[in-house]
Amino acid sequence: MSDLRIRAATPDDLDTVLAFWKTAAEGTSISDDRAGVERLVERDAEALILAERDGELVGTVIAGFDGWRCHLYRLAVRPDQRRRGVGTALLAAAEERFVRLGGRRGDAMVLTDNERAHHAWRAAGYAPEEHWRRWVKPLG
């Protein structure tokens, strides 16, 4: 896995990331546009973490920290790179970031019907909290 490079995204990466999510991520988000991802990177330059192999994007995770809680979003690995340590390396980088910032517990947004993701998250030591439910309201 020494050929895997983990780094923070830059503004130059955003179009590539958006295209990547269309093929590697499950589902879509209201923030899956250039303006949304650009705001993320401008606000927190280390939040969007990329994995590259041979100069190509093979994985992403958003490791957002609001000063109180650690939130994980958009863990996505290119289908032909799955089960090769990419997700593990991305989560390790995210968790290291959280610890460095003083975070105590990470939580992840995982689609209810994405069974493949459930297995990956459990293997990484995460578990669902069934007594919580996400409530949302579109703004704007």
Side-chain angles (χ1 to χ4, degrees):
M1 201 165 68
S2 63
D3 62 336
L4 193 63
R5 179 179 179 222
I6 305 294
R7 67 174 179 86
T10 68
D12 292 339
D13 296 312
L14 303 187
D15 292 329
T16 302
V17 168
L18 288 163
F20 176 79
W21 285 343
K22 287 180 181 176
T23 61
E26 291 288 324
T28 58
S29 166
I30 195 169
S31 301
D32 284 359
D33 58 25
R34 182 159 178 93
V37 181
E38 200 167 58
R39 268 190 309 279
L40 170 70
V41 172
E42 284 175 4
R43 183 179 179 281
D44 185 348
E46 296 182 348
L48 177 52
I49 302 170
L50 308 181
E52 296 174 323
R53 185 169 273 143
D54 299 322
E56 291 189 29
L57 182 60
V58 295
T60 67
V61 70
I62 296 173
F65 182 65
D66 61 14
W68 184 37
R69 292 205 174 139
C70 307
H71 304 287
L72 294 160
Y73 310 92
R74 280 297 188 229
L75 176 62
V77 176
R78 199 170 78 192
D80 68 327
Q81 295 291 310
R82 292 179 182 157
R83 304 194 57 77
R84 296 183 59 195
V86 176
T88 300
L90 285 165
L91 287 177
E95 291 167 1
E96 288 168 15
R97 169 179 155 74
F98 291 151
V99 169
R100 188 175 70 248
L101 293 171
R104 297 180 185 165
R105 177 182 68 183
D107 65 55
M109 297 296 300
V110 183
L111 291 170
T112 304
D113 293 335
N114 189 345
E115 288 295 327
R116 182 183 302 123
H118 296 184
H119 296 294
W121 284 104
R122 277 191 179 89
Y126 291 78
E129 282 193 340
E130 299 300 336
H131 59 279
W132 291 100
R133 176 77 59 198
R134 181 177 181 214
W135 291 39
V136 300
K137 176 185 176 183
L139 303 175

